[in-house]
Amino acid sequence: VCWHVDRLTRSPRELEDVIDLADRLGVELATVTGEIDLSSVTGRLVARMLGAAARHETEHKSERQRRKARQVAEAGIAHGGYIRPYGFEADRVTVVEGEAALIRDMARRVLAGESLRSVTLDLNRRGIPTVTGKQWSTQTVRGLLGSARISGRREYKPSNSYQGYRPLIGEITHDHAWPAIISIDESDRLRALLSRPERRTTPGSARTYLLSGILRCSKCGARMVGRIHNGKRRYNCITNPGRGGCGKIVIYADQTDAHVRDWVLTALDSPKFIAKLHRAGATGPDADQLAAKLRGIEERRDQLATDWAAGEITRREWQTARQALDAQAEQLHAQLAHSQNGQALAQLARLDGD
């Protein structure tokens, strides 16, 4: 029983399931606005026509909503919602200075090489809640630091880009839409770092073995990995397929970790080593220049869309140019993400100098 067939379902696929039920079990459809007999060929035709019209209306409504959402984003208007974003008041544009200071600290630590898991554990250990009063998760921290909102920018994420999960990176549609908590350059670096496809989402042996994958075999040069043998933690050169190791070198992990820590701490007391850290950060890729190039590509994408809308280029020309720009942007994102190593070293040198 339903008011109208389009209130029963707006999916032609589901309507076919209802028709199958009518065939197998003799289910009858009763609608307030008119009788539809699913047992007759004509009744099924009417139901399918009404279902197709309802489906068209649903898709048309979604299209209007997406178009409206993009217009709002391009105007730089803050996106509404029941829960305010962390760092901002309920109006979504007024900065909460206490939370903003925490966001700046989180951004600085992640850009310096600290893991999201470490930052998350620290927040929960200090009893700092989210805006809903719950504990932080790595996904929440990642979403916060990866959002363009905290740099004062509006971004748009079309619903058809979700593919089962909400993407971290959207399209920047408006700069300086509201007061920024961190700079645009810092935000671009964070977004490039956190969106790297090779970033691991599950814990691995690197947290158990300090030097796993860093140490190299003195005989063959292969990377050594951590293993436990008779209750002892060891670093092994292994001969598994794809590893290319010789399997001839094994050292105990606890003594090796302690020895390397002593080396590092001793080096940090050396002015020469600090000077090398400064040079390592200075000679790495310029993050500001890479971020500027990325913003230039965004502007060229917008101009490309404008040219296509004006009929100055064909759709095929637009697709070819868009693919080239996307490839350039992907390469710049990779360079910007890898530049964090030099940035982390330079920041460590500055902290030591202070």
Side-chain angles (χ1 to χ4, degrees):
V1 177
C2 59
W3 179 261
H4 190 271
V5 70
D6 65 2
R7 309 312 302 168
L8 173 66
T9 175
R10 294 196 173 195
S11 169
R13 186 181 298 108
E14 290 180 354
L15 180 59
E16 294 302 322
D17 293 338
V18 175
I19 293 175
D20 289 341
L21 285 174
D23 287 341
R24 290 188 292 109
L25 304 176
V27 174
E28 295 182 3
L29 180 62
T31 59
V32 177
T33 55
E35 182 179 354
I36 297 179
D37 183 9
L38 296 181
S39 64
S40 69
V41 174
T42 302
R44 295 182 184 187
L45 174 62
V46 172
R48 288 178 174 124
M49 292 174 62
L50 293 174
R55 179 70 174 187
H56 171 265
E57 175 59 27
T58 299
E59 294 177 348
H60 189 49
K61 181 179 179 181
S62 298
E63 186 180 56
R64 293 197 305 268
Q65 291 174 339
R66 287 195 298 269
R67 191 161 54 243
K68 179 63 176 179
R70 173 173 282 279
Q71 290 174 351
V72 170
E74 290 176 347
I77 301 174
H79 186 273
Y82 295 107
I83 302 175
R84 69 174 180 86
Y86 195 85
F88 295 89
E89 297 283 3
D91 62 4
R92 315 181 83 81
V93 296
T94 303
V95 174
V96 179
E97 191 50 45
E99 296 178 356
L102 185 64
I103 291 174
R104 296 187 193 102
D105 179 64
M106 294 162 61
R108 176 187 60 79
R109 292 164 62 181
V110 172
L111 286 174
E114 188 170 349
S115 69
L116 290 178
R117 183 174 184 273
S118 174
V119 173
T120 304
L121 289 174
D122 180 60
L123 291 172
N124 293 332
R125 190 181 300 115
R126 291 158 59 189
I128 300 174
T130 64
V131 291
T132 58
K134 299 179 180 178
Q135 286 196 330
W136 292 86
S137 66
T138 54
Q139 291 83 3
T140 306
V141 174
R142 179 176 180 267
L144 172 63
L145 296 180
S147 171
R149 165 179 289 280
I150 59 177
S151 61
R153 296 179 292 175
R154 181 67 158 88
E155 65 181 322
Y156 173 66
K157 299 177 182 178
S159 58
N160 58 2
S161 69
Y162 288 10
Q163 298 177 352
Y165 63 93
R166 186 175 182 84
L168 178 69
I169 304 298
E171 177 187 348
I172 302 298
T173 58
H174 201 283
D175 291 328
H176 310 295
W178 44 74
I181 294 176
I182 65 174
S183 69
I184 290 178
D185 291 339
E186 289 174 321
S187 177
D188 286 341
R189 289 162 53 197
L190 277 170
R191 286 156 67 85
L193 177 66
L194 298 176
S195 61
R196 290 170 62 178
E198 67 269 23
R199 285 184 62 89
R200 300 185 61 152
T201 57
T202 56
S205 60
R207 297 190 181 94
T208 304
Y209 294 90
L210 179 65
L211 303 173
S212 181
I214 299 176
L215 290 180
R216 290 187 177 269
C217 175
S218 61
K219 289 188 176 294
C220 67
R223 296 181 185 273
M224 302 180 70
V225 297
R227 293 286 188 272
I228 293 181
H229 180 72
N230 292 333
K232 298 289 186 178
R233 299 169 63 251
R234 310 191 307 180
Y235 292 114
N236 304 299
C237 177
I238 59 177
T239 58
N240 290 354
R243 291 283 185 178
C246 63
K248 295 180 179 180
I249 297 296
V250 177
I251 57 176
Y252 288 106
D254 292 338
Q255 293 89 328
T256 304
D257 291 351
H259 190 54
V260 172
R261 286 194 199 99
D262 290 341
W263 271 354
V264 172
L265 292 175
T266 301
L268 288 175
D269 287 333
S270 168
K272 291 183 179 180
F273 183 72
I274 296 301
K276 288 183 178 180
L277 290 184
H278 276 295
R279 288 196 297 271
T283 57
D286 191 329
D288 294 342
Q289 291 183 3
L290 293 175
K293 289 181 179 180
L294 278 172
R295 289 195 294 275
I297 288 179
E298 288 294 336
E299 293 174 358
R300 290 164 64 188
R301 283 171 172 165
D302 293 341
Q303 184 59 49
L304 192 64
T306 301
D307 292 343
W308 178 76
E312 297 178 3
I313 59 175
T314 65
R315 182 174 180 82
R316 183 174 181 178
E317 291 173 331
W318 174 85
Q319 289 178 331
T320 301
R322 178 64 187 237
Q323 290 173 358
L325 290 174
D326 289 345
Q328 294 176 30
E330 184 177 354
Q331 184 177 10
L332 287 172
H333 273 295
Q335 293 178 12
L336 187 58
H338 286 295
S339 73
Q340 301 309 316
N341 294 334
Q343 294 288 336
L345 290 172
Q347 181 156 349
L348 177 61
R350 287 195 298 269
L351 292 175
D352 188 83
D354 295 338

